[in-house]
Amino acid sequence: MPIQITCHKGIENSCCDEIIYNLVSILHLFNPVITMLPFKLPFRFIKAFILLLFILFSINVFSQSPRSRMDFDKGWRFHLGDIKGAEKIDVKDADWRALDLPHDWSIEGKFAKENPATPDGGALPGGIGWYRKSFTVPATSKDKKVYIDFDGVYEKSTVWINGHELGFRPNGYISFEYDLTPYLKFGGNNIIAVKVDNSVQPNSRWYSGSGIYRNVWLVTTNKVAIDHWGTYVTTPEADDKSAIVHVQTQVKNTSETPAKVILATTIYNPSGKAALTLNSAESDVAKSNYIAQEIKINNPVLWSVEHPALYKVVTKVMVGKAVVDEYTTPFGIRYFNFDVDKGFTLNGKPMKILGVCDHHDLGSLGAAFNYRALERQLQMLKDMGCNGIRTSHNPPAPELLDLCDKMGFIVMDEAFDCWERGKVKYDYHLFFKEWHKRDLEDQILRDRNHPSVMIWSIGNEIPQQSDTSALRIAPELAGIIHNLDKTRPITTANNDPSTNNKIIASGALDLVGYNYAERDFPHFHERYPGKKFIGTETTSALETRGFYQMPSDSIQRWPTARDYKTRAKMNADHTVSAYDNISTPWGSTHEETWKVIKKYDFLSGMFIWTGWDYLGEPTPYGWPSRSSYFGIIDLAGFPKDVYYMYQSEWTDKPVLHILPHWNWEAGKTVDVWAYYNHADEVELFLNGKSLGTKKKEGDDLHVMWHVKYEPGTIKAVSRKDGKVVLTREIHTAGKPAKIQLMADRKNIKADGKDLSFITVKILDKDGNLVPNADNLVDFKINGNAFIAGVDNGNETDLDSFKASSRHAFNGLALAIVQTKQQPGAITFSASSKDLQSATVVLQAK
Ligand code: GAL
């Protein structure tokens, strides 16, 4: 981009770039008008004039906006490895790599057993990395306050501005802000430097990623402004007739003189209309004041998982006639309860929390946060009928909560995987004593306005469950939360749910959280009379997508011993059958677990381990497996069969799903399973011949036939009252012949962040998926986009995710296309030896 302007609000070059990119696109729209003008002026001249008008207009608009929060992700320099003094202003970083955040350097590395993260941590490299960014702040901003906000840096980050150290944060999942103002050169160039130290490992039981892997923001305010995370909106009274909205606002004054402040607070209803405005009494703010306001809303639209209606509070801070700050807080009006006997109700309606646990990685994108990638993960879970997310085992990206608010998920927001006693040598236990209060407070302050958040978890499988120190720590942590939020219950995820558990014995918990032990669930009240139950973590079943092994009707626990010595009984190629009949010894299959939760009202819900496969923890195997087998959806985003069991139980969508594929050795007995709903029975046919009708009896969740294999077509028909509901058929596939490409979205935003997920299928000449195809597929891209990652869901594939080719795995592969900032057509093609190629055209707008 040839034009250089400095943003008036004192923000950085990259934000200007974004504005200019957008402007240039808008200017193209003027072409027809310019052609119609009665006089001839060069196009460039007219466009420059329009651009000038627009800039003047923007300056005027921006100068009236008292607060700005700018995306600070673009235009960083990165160096992998430590450099002494890299925080200094005059360090020559021109030859460092140029990149945009969020960034995870581990995902770019090579898998190796020797990497200190170990296969449990994903077997990718760690190390130390440095980031630097140069930016200007105009002289006109010298009376402002300028802050930098990091959503998350893994881990042990130190930040400097112009050579001055701002602080250190060891916790890789916490969001934090620094005040840059005292050290900024207004009207000049500034250097921000960040050192990230993920060299001391293992420090995690799963893949963490390394770097500034979440978004960064530059925030500019006046000296009298609402504090960081400075609003707290609750609805102490709410039902469908009326709601009291309580808004507590912390106003900060960093100027020399006290200010007389009035808050004008407006509530906007879910359709975006201003419903009510309330002015507070005048308040003298010398340094920092809380101002409380209460507003009544009649006939509120309640937030629910089916209709996640969002209100917002817009708070204007007035000093005299001037609006010195304006701050928006989305919120929802809902009420919920965990009942000892009846379980969970939302807005008075009984329901179960049908949740999953997920780690933060986004598969082949690693830990580098991407809004669309996370939205896709959540969308697939929502389509399965899932309504709950546990942020295992740490504070999530803030956008996860925004998405859960918008899409209708109930969130269990978790803080820690350990307290003072660790699980791996260098994990957070080294920092717990010094940092737990600060980290927990920051998490609650950041997250407490989200209607989706309904449970705080202060720990997962805390080793101190067995230790009297829990009697001290659990109440302390609960106290920290209660000081900031009393509207949500507190729990811990306990793998020792017995009465020996000192965390439970401490009395600090509102909900008793069970990890596993589903056979004990029905007896919960014998052990804990009068207490409330939540299945904080369940299941840990194991499956490889698209791989099937008989017999399917006996349940196995893998590995049979935790030291993996009994691995011989498992598969040499590190596969696990996808018939939902294998789980870890501490866990249970999906069906075993859901049957119990479904049966008893007081079991308020569960969070299944896990919704998606994740990097690291390759149970039941070890190296060369490098990612988990627990997911209902594989790492690439292809559902395993059990996805449809949940869909048949948890949604109203008509479901008929049959498994396995239909390519076997002649004469083999194959178990055919069907998941179905909205029907009385399913009839199975092999090559047109009926194999009989089956129906679910008792608490069955599927039906099954033992079928003597012959090639051809296996077909299932579901019927209700004798009428056909759905039909599904699978054909025996021939040799791989062609590639099929399916983009999840063909129109994407030319914003440098948006993604299209392209499923690559290997088909035979008749269009059948070849169920064991592993062809190597090469990708080519033309246009303003690049391949952000490739994958296939195979837990043992050690090829890099950052590549332009991928082997298919059980017939499927994935390529993720990311836009650059220019609009236009993107042509994505896939080719492979001996196969017919395929092309898909995307439009970036
Ligand atoms: C649990 C633990 C999870 C994960 C899971 C695997 O005990 O809380 O983090 O390790 O086991 O089954």
Side-chain angles (χ1 to χ4, degrees):
M1 184 50 57
I3 318 162
Q4 281 294 325
I5 57 168
T6 307
C7 271
H8 141 269
K9 278 306 289 180
I11 316 309
E12 61 348 335
N13 298 329
S14 57
C15 98
C16 295
D17 286 351
E18 255 170 51
I19 293 170
I20 291 168
Y21 284 130
N22 293 338
L23 270 181
V24 169
S25 323
I26 292 167
L27 287 179
H28 284 302
L29 301 176
F30 284 91
N31 282 349
V33 181
I34 295 170
T35 341
M36 282 160 58
L37 286 178
F39 47 88
K40 288 251 169 303
L41 277 177
F43 268 5
R44 285 173 144 265
F45 180 81
I46 296 173
K47 284 184 184 172
F49 181 66
I50 297 171
L51 183 64
L52 186 70
L53 282 181
F54 196 90
I55 291 169
L56 290 173
F57 170 76
S58 313
I59 287 175
N60 188 37
V61 168
F62 284 147
S63 60
Q64 289 175 13
S65 151
R67 165 185 290 264
S68 76
R69 186 167 186 263
M70 310 296 288
D71 179 333
F72 207 54
D73 284 345
K74 300 219 170 56
W76 289 74
R77 295 272 170 187
F78 172 69
H79 175 85
L80 182 56
D82 200 8
I83 297 183
K84 209 168 173 342
E87 74 279 11
K88 300 213 170 87
I89 297 179
D90 53 1
V91 167
K92 302 264 173 295
D93 59 15
D95 59 346
W96 290 22
R97 178 173 153 200
L99 53 72
D100 297 335
L101 305 176
H103 172 238
D104 168 12
W105 78 72
S106 294
I107 203 71
E108 298 165 352
K110 283 201 169 71
F111 289 106
K113 190 182 182 186
E114 297 69 35
N115 277 328
T118 76
D120 270 350
L124 284 165
I128 292 178
W130 278 91
Y131 295 84
R132 283 168 64 91
K133 171 162 168 145
S134 139
F135 64 107
T136 55
V137 184
T140 48
S141 288
K142 70 175 188 335
D143 291 329
K144 305 269 180 188
K145 297 287 290 177
V146 183
Y147 304 92
I148 190 164
D149 283 14
F150 290 88
D151 286 349
V153 182
Y154 202 92
E155 63 160 11
K156 289 192 265 170
S157 64
T158 314
V159 182
W160 291 264
I161 178 75
N162 296 332
H164 178 93
E165 186 177 328
L166 293 167
F168 167 74
R169 286 307 282 249
N171 186 331
Y173 298 104
I174 205 72
S175 300
F176 53 92
E177 174 176 87
Y178 293 117
D179 181 3
L180 303 180
T181 324
Y183 319 103
L184 281 179
K185 289 179 204 146
F186 290 94
N189 203 47
N190 297 279
I191 301 285
I192 192 115
V194 183
K195 180 183 178 185
V196 184
D197 185 350
N198 193 15
S199 62
V200 184
Q201 299 208 27
N203 58 44
S204 176
R205 297 189 299 111
W206 56 90
Y207 175 74
S208 65
S210 310
I212 309 180
Y213 72 103
R214 290 182 183 160
N215 290 317
V216 181
W217 309 91
L218 201 72
V219 177
T220 307
T221 69
N222 286 311
K223 288 193 171 152
V224 176
I226 293 174
D227 207 352
H228 188 217
W229 301 319
T231 57
Y232 180 36
V233 182
T234 53
T235 49
E237 288 170 34
D239 59 28
D240 48 3
K241 305 257 165 1
S242 72
I244 302 289
V245 182
H246 185 91
V247 186
Q248 183 177 304
T249 309
Q250 185 158 28
V251 181
K252 193 163 91 171
N253 179 359
T254 48
S255 75
E256 309 288 298
T257 41
K260 292 195 181 310
V261 165
I262 290 178
L263 294 189
T265 298
T266 306
I267 306 238
Y268 288 80
N269 66 24
S271 56
K273 282 208 189 106
L276 280 164
T277 298
L278 188 75
N279 283 357
S280 71
E282 193 171 78
S283 174
D284 269 325
V285 183
K287 287 212 155 51
S288 183
N289 275 23
Y290 269 120
I291 300 174
Q293 292 169 289
E294 226 162 56
I295 300 177
K296 185 174 176 197
I297 297 194
N298 290 324
N299 305 316
V301 188
L302 299 181
W303 186 98
S304 67
V305 295
E306 298 87 11
H307 302 289
L310 288 177
Y311 284 78
K312 67 181 179 189
V313 175
V314 176
T315 316
K316 287 187 178 161
V317 181
M318 320 275 299
V319 176
K321 288 224 162 67
V323 178
V324 296
D325 196 7
E326 185 175 322
Y327 191 95
T328 301
T329 314
F331 73 100
I333 300 175
R334 83 282 185 268
Y335 58 100
F336 64 90
N337 184 40
F338 287 87
D339 184 83
V340 174
D341 299 313
K342 294 194 198 115
F344 181 71
T345 51
L346 179 59
N347 303 327
K349 204 176 107 193
M351 62 178 279
K352 285 204 190 277
I353 299 177
L354 309 171
V356 299
C357 307
D358 269 333
H359 279 310
H360 65 300
D361 76 62
L362 297 167
S364 58
L365 302 176
F369 178 77
N370 180 287
Y371 189 86
R372 172 58 201 155
L374 183 61
E375 183 184 52
R376 170 183 177 249
Q377 286 197 341
L378 294 172
Q379 190 59 55
M380 289 181 68
L381 292 168
K382 191 87 192 166
D383 291 346
M384 181 180 96
C386 167
N387 66 18
I389 301 289
R390 172 190 186 205
T391 71
S392 32
H393 304 297
N394 42 261
E399 293 86 352
L400 180 134
L401 300 180
D402 296 339
L403 280 162
C404 289
D405 288 350
K406 278 188 204 150
M407 296 172 80
F409 286 96
I410 293 163
V411 176
M412 176 162 119
D413 196 350
E414 193 152 77
F416 304 115
D417 192 45
C418 63
W419 297 346
E420 290 168 356
R421 265 168 54 193
K423 294 180 179 171
V424 293
K425 196 163 176 197
Y426 301 108
D427 63 19
Y428 186 75
H429 79 279
L430 299 175
F431 301 100
F432 184 86
K433 273 201 178 122
E434 190 182 342
W435 284 96
H436 69 274
K437 183 163 187 287
R438 178 74 196 274
D439 285 340
L440 187 56
E441 280 175 352
D442 285 353
Q443 179 179 2
I444 307 302
L445 285 171
R446 191 195 70 168
D447 296 350
R448 64 185 176 168
N449 289 322
H450 287 277
S452 57
V453 176
M454 296 196 201
I455 307 171
W456 301 118
S457 163
I458 52 176
N460 172 58
E461 299 191 350
I462 296 299
Q464 286 158 281
Q465 285 164 103
S466 57
D467 190 318
T468 50
S469 60
L471 300 170
R472 162 178 57 87
I473 299 171
E476 190 214 331
L477 298 177
I480 292 170
I481 295 180
H482 284 148
N483 273 341
L484 299 170
D485 181 53
K486 290 195 182 68
T487 70
R488 296 161 174 100
I490 296 174
T491 193
T492 51
N494 301 291
N495 54 335
D496 173 12
S498 78
T499 45
N500 296 329
N501 184 313
K502 299 287 184 290
I503 300 179
I504 302 174
S506 77
L509 307 181
D510 305 301
L511 304 175
V512 177
Y514 269 53
N515 277 16
Y516 308 100
E518 99 288 352
R519 281 181 209 94
D520 288 351
F521 292 177
H523 312 292
F524 174 71
H525 281 141
E526 292 157 32
R527 192 180 275 166
Y528 292 113
K531 297 269 182 217
K532 301 168 182 179
F533 171 95
I534 179 75
T536 34
E537 183 176 317
T538 65
T539 318
S540 272
L542 304 164
E543 281 105 17
T544 298
R545 190 258 312 151
F547 172 77
Y548 308 92
Q549 209 163 19
M550 293 353 119
S552 69
D553 48 358
S554 63
I555 288 177
Q556 300 169 52
R557 311 290 177 202
W558 286 11
T560 44
R562 265 215 115 154
D563 62 6
Y564 302 150
K565 281 192 188 126
T566 53
R567 198 183 312 164
K569 285 190 190 151
M570 303 192 287
N571 294 335
D573 62 356
H574 284 207
T575 48
V576 183
S577 182
Y579 279 113
D580 186 25
N581 65 328
I582 302 176
S583 83
T584 56
W586 56 94
S588 42
T589 66
H590 292 277
E591 292 197 2
E592 283 179 301
T593 322
W594 172 231
K595 280 178 187 173
V596 181
I597 295 280
K598 188 178 172 180
K599 196 162 165 187
Y600 300 94
D601 285 348
F602 73 91
L603 300 175
S604 54
M606 64 170 173
F607 293 91
I608 298 161
W609 192 267
T610 49
W612 280 65
D613 273 339
Y614 54 93
L615 286 161
E617 236 187 350
T619 318
Y621 299 104
W623 182 260
S625 297
R626 46 65 173 159
S627 55
S628 83
Y629 294 72
F630 297 115
I632 299 166
I633 301 168
D634 79 11
L635 198 70
F638 304 128
K640 301 178 187 174
D641 296 282
V642 75
Y643 180 94
Y644 301 96
M645 185 279 281
Y646 288 115
Q647 201 174 51
S648 72
E649 285 284 297
W650 291 358
T651 74
D652 266 342
K653 288 175 220 165
V655 173
L656 173 62
H657 177 83
I658 51 171
L659 60 149
H661 57 72
W662 208 240
N663 277 55
W664 298 94
E665 301 133 43
K668 185 177 171 74
T669 300
V670 180
D671 295 351
V672 177
W673 286 34
Y675 298 123
Y676 70 93
N677 62 8
H678 295 304
D680 309 318
E681 56 180 34
V682 179
E683 185 169 5
L684 193 71
F685 299 86
L686 176 58
N687 293 329
K689 201 173 122 233
S690 175
L691 302 177
T693 298
K694 304 246 170 173
K695 53 172 75 173
K696 294 187 266 192
E697 310 280 353
D699 61 0
D700 285 351
L701 297 169
H702 71 271
V703 287
M704 187 192 73
W705 296 258
H706 295 295
V707 180
K708 195 152 206 108
Y709 176 75
E710 57 185 62
T713 301
I714 188 90
K715 174 174 153 183
V717 178
S718 62
R719 290 193 201 90
K720 176 138 192 101
D721 300 327
K723 283 205 195 103
V724 174
V725 180
L726 286 171
T727 303
R728 292 282 177 263
E729 54 184 56
I730 305 177
H731 306 265
T732 303
K735 282 205 304 260
K738 56 186 178 192
I739 300 171
Q740 185 186 40
L741 297 179
M742 290 165 78
D744 70 335
R745 283 153 74 241
K746 285 196 175 163
N747 291 312
I748 46 181
K749 282 181 257 155
D751 61 358
K753 295 191 172 182
D754 203 5
L755 305 173
S756 182
F757 287 83
I758 301 181
T759 298
V760 181
K761 292 188 175 178
I762 309 294
L763 307 181
D764 71 1
K765 66 177 184 8
D766 299 319
N768 300 304
L769 183 81
V770 183
N772 55 0
D774 60 358
N775 307 61
L776 178 64
V777 186
D778 292 309
F779 305 122
K780 275 217 174 63
I781 196 158
N782 267 315
N784 292 313
F786 62 98
I787 298 173
V790 293
D791 196 4
N792 54 24
N794 179 356
E795 298 87 350
T796 63
D797 192 329
L798 300 180
D799 289 345
S800 173
F801 292 127
K802 300 283 175 190
S804 56
S805 63
R806 192 74 176 176
H807 280 279
F809 177 63
N810 292 336
L812 300 176
L814 174 81
I816 307 171
V817 171
Q818 184 163 354
T819 56
K820 294 182 183 165
Q821 289 196 313
Q822 297 87 351
I826 300 160
T827 309
F828 177 87
S829 334
S831 61
S832 179
K833 197 168 165 285
D834 301 329
L835 300 188
Q836 193 183 314
S837 308
T839 295
V840 64
V841 180
L842 316 172
Q843 293 295 337
K845 290 182 182 154

